[in-house]
C-alpha cells in the first residue's frame, strides 16, 4: 500500500509539468499585450514599460520564461500579480471559498444522486424510474449558466429561500444555492450511473445467493448490491472533484463568489501567466490526490482488490 501511494505521488511530477507547460504556452500564445492591458490601453512611458516587462520576464522568450517559473517554484515562489500582490496570497484567499463550494456540491450530488439512483434502479420501469430518467436528462440538456440564472431568479429573488448573491467572506449559508447549481448536472450523471449499476448487480449470482440464505431485503440491497454498485460511482465522483473546482468559473460569475473561478477568469483576461498557471497547478494537484483517494477506496468497496 505504501509503495502504491508513493508511485501515485511520483506520477504527479510529470503530470504537473505537462499541465503547467501546456497552460503556460496557451497563455503565452494568447493574442494581446499584458502590459497594454495593465495600462488600460493608455500610452505608457517607454522606461516604465521596459521595467514592467523585465519585472515579469515578458521580455524573454517562452522557454526562458517557463524555466524561470519552474525555478521559482523550487523556492515556493508563485510570482506576483500585475497589481503587485503575491499569487500565493491571492490564491490562499480564493481557494478556501471554492473548496467549500466544491465540497457542498459534491456532497449534494453524492447523497441525492445515489439515493434516487438506488430507488430508480430497484424500481426499474416503474413511474418513479421513468420520472427520474426524464428529469435527469432535462438537467443534463440545459446549460449550467441557464440553470444558474433561473434558480437565482426563482429561488433567490422571487421565493427568497436563499441569497441571490454571495456576501463578503462567502459563508456556508450563502453557498447553498451556488453549490446546488454547480452540482446539479453531476447529480444527474451520478443518479443515472447508480441506477445502471444497481440494475446490473441486483440480478447477479451473489445477490440471489444472499437472498436464498434468508437475508433481509434491506441488508441485501445495502451490503451486497449497493457496495459493489458504488465502484463506478466513486470513480466518477473522484474525477468530478477537479471538474467542480475548474467548472466553478460560470457558477462563481453568476453568484459573485470570490473564489478560484473568478480569480482564474480575471487572470486570463489580464494575461497574468503566473496566476493562471498557479491556479491550474493547484487544480491538477487536487485532481491527482482525489484519484489517489478513489484508488484506495476500491479496496474497501471490493474485498477482491488488494494493492501489493
Amino acid at each position: 500500500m505504501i509503495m502504491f501511494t508513493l508511485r501515485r505521488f511520483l506520477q504527479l511530477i510529470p503530470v504537473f509539468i505537462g499541465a503547467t507547460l501546456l497552460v503556460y504556452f496557451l497563455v503565452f500564445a494568447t493574442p494581446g499585450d499584458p502590459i497594454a492591458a495593465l495600462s488600460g490601453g493608455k500610452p505608457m512611458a517607454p522606461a516604465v514599460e521596459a521595467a514592467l516587462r523585465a519585472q515579469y520576464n515578458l521580455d524573454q522568450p517562452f522557454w526562458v520564461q517557463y524555466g524561470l517559473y519552474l525555478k521559482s517554484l523550487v523556492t515556493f515562489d508563485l510570482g506576483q500579480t500585475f497589481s503587485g500582490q503575491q499569487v500565493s496570497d491571492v490564491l490562499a484567499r480564493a481557494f478556501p471559498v471554492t473548496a467549500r463550494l466544491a465540497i457542498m456540491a459534491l456532497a449534494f450530488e453524492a447523497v441525492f444522486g445515489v439515493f434516487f439512483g438506488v430507488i430508480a434502479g430497484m424500481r426499474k420501469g416503474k413511474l418513479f424510474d421513468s420520472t427520474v430518467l426524464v428529469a435527469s436528462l432535462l438537467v443534463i440538456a440545459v446549460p449550467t449558466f441557464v440553470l444558474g440564472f433561473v434558480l437565482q431568479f426563482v429561488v433567490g429573488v422571487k421565493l427568497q429561500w436563499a441569497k441571490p448573491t454571495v456576501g463578503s467572506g462567502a459563508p456556508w449559508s450563502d453557498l447553498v444555492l451556488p453549490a446546488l447549481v454547480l452540482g446539479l448536472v453531476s447529480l444527474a450523471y451520478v443518479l443515472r450511473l447508480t441506477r445502471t449499476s444497481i440494475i446490473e448487480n441486483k440480478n447477479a449470482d451473489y445477490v440471489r445467493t444472499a437472498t436464498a440464505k434468508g437475508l433481509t431485503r434491506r441488508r441485501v440491497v445495502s451490503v451486497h448490491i449497493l457496495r459493489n454498485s458504488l465502484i463506478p460511482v466513486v470513480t466518477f465522483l473522484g474525477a468530478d472533484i477537479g471538474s467542480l473546482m475548474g467548472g466553478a468559473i460560470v457558477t462563481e460569475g453568476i453568484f459573485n463568489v470570490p473564489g478560484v473561478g473568478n480569480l482564474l477568469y480575471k487572470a486570463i483576461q489580464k494575461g497574468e501567466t503566473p496566476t493562471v498557471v498557479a491556479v491550474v497547478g493547484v487544480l491538477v494537484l487536487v485532481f491527482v490526490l482525489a484519484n489517489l483517494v478513489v484508488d484506495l477506496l476500491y479496496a474497501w468497496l471490493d474485498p477482491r482488490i488488494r494493492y501489493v
Side-chain angles (χ1 to χ4, degrees):
M1 182 68 74
I2 296 177
M3 292 301 297
F4 170 78
T5 306
L6 181 60
R7 286 199 301 269
R8 292 307 299 266
F9 271 115
L10 292 177
Q11 292 176 5
L12 175 62
I13 298 175
V15 171
F16 180 82
I17 293 177
T20 54
L21 177 61
L22 178 60
V23 173
Y24 211 101
F25 174 75
L26 290 176
V27 178
F28 179 84
T30 300
D33 186 0
I35 300 300
L38 180 62
S39 63
K42 298 180 180 179
M44 184 180 296
V48 176
E49 180 178 350
L52 287 174
R53 292 188 183 278
Q55 179 181 352
Y56 296 105
N57 300 319
L58 296 176
D59 56 345
Q60 302 292 336
F62 168 73
W63 290 109
V64 176
Q65 290 187 34
Y66 183 69
L68 292 173
Y69 175 76
L70 290 181
K71 182 181 178 181
S72 64
L73 287 183
V74 178
T75 58
F76 301 98
D77 180 14
L78 299 180
Q80 290 184 343
T81 65
F82 288 163
S83 60
Q85 302 180 72
Q86 291 293 326
V87 174
S88 56
D89 295 337
V90 177
L91 192 59
R93 291 194 298 269
F95 182 79
V97 177
T98 301
R100 292 199 298 269
L101 180 63
I103 289 172
M104 293 177 66
L106 186 69
F108 172 73
E109 68 182 64
V111 173
F112 289 99
V114 171
F115 177 76
F116 289 116
V118 170
I119 298 177
M122 297 303 297
R123 299 181 180 180
K124 178 186 177 182
K126 302 293 181 63
L127 178 61
F128 181 84
D129 180 38
S130 301
T131 303
V132 162
L133 286 178
V134 173
S136 61
L137 186 61
L138 180 62
V139 170
I140 295 173
V142 178
T144 302
F145 66 89
V146 176
L147 289 173
F149 283 119
V150 169
L151 290 179
Q152 184 185 44
F153 178 75
V154 175
V155 179
V157 178
K158 288 295 184 181
L159 300 178
Q160 296 184 356
W161 290 351
K163 291 184 178 181
T165 57
V166 176
S168 59
W172 290 88
S173 58
D174 288 6
L175 295 176
V176 173
L177 190 56
L180 174 64
V181 173
L182 182 60
L184 203 54
V185 175
S186 295
L187 183 149
Y189 285 115
V190 171
L191 188 153
R192 298 173 73 92
L193 187 58
T194 303
R195 172 188 176 274
T196 303
S197 298
I198 291 291
I199 293 174
E200 291 178 353
N201 286 304
K202 72 177 183 179
N203 296 320
D205 293 338
Y206 65 87
V207 175
R208 286 195 290 266
T209 301
T211 304
K213 287 181 179 180
L215 298 179
T216 62
R217 179 177 175 83
R218 181 178 180 179
R219 181 170 179 80
V220 171
V221 173
S222 61
V223 177
H224 295 277
I225 298 179
L226 181 59
R227 188 168 179 175
N228 289 279
S229 300
L230 283 180
I231 293 179
V233 178
V234 169
T235 303
F236 175 84
L237 291 175
D240 197 44
I241 293 177
S243 301
L244 288 175
M245 299 194 69
I249 297 178
V250 176
T251 306
E252 290 184 358
I254 295 174
F255 294 95
N256 194 31
V257 181
V260 170
N262 254 332
L263 175 64
L264 182 60
Y265 177 72
K266 293 177 181 177
I268 293 175
Q269 281 188 319
K270 296 177 182 178
E272 291 183 358
T273 305
T275 306
V276 176
V277 177
V279 172
V280 173
V282 171
L283 295 181
V284 170
L285 180 62
V286 170
F287 182 82
V288 173
L289 293 178
N291 280 270
L292 173 61
V293 174
V294 168
D295 290 340
L296 297 177
L297 284 175
Y298 285 160
W300 176 74
L301 291 171
D302 191 347
R304 295 170 298 179
I305 299 176
R306 289 293 180 267
Y307 296 116
V308 180

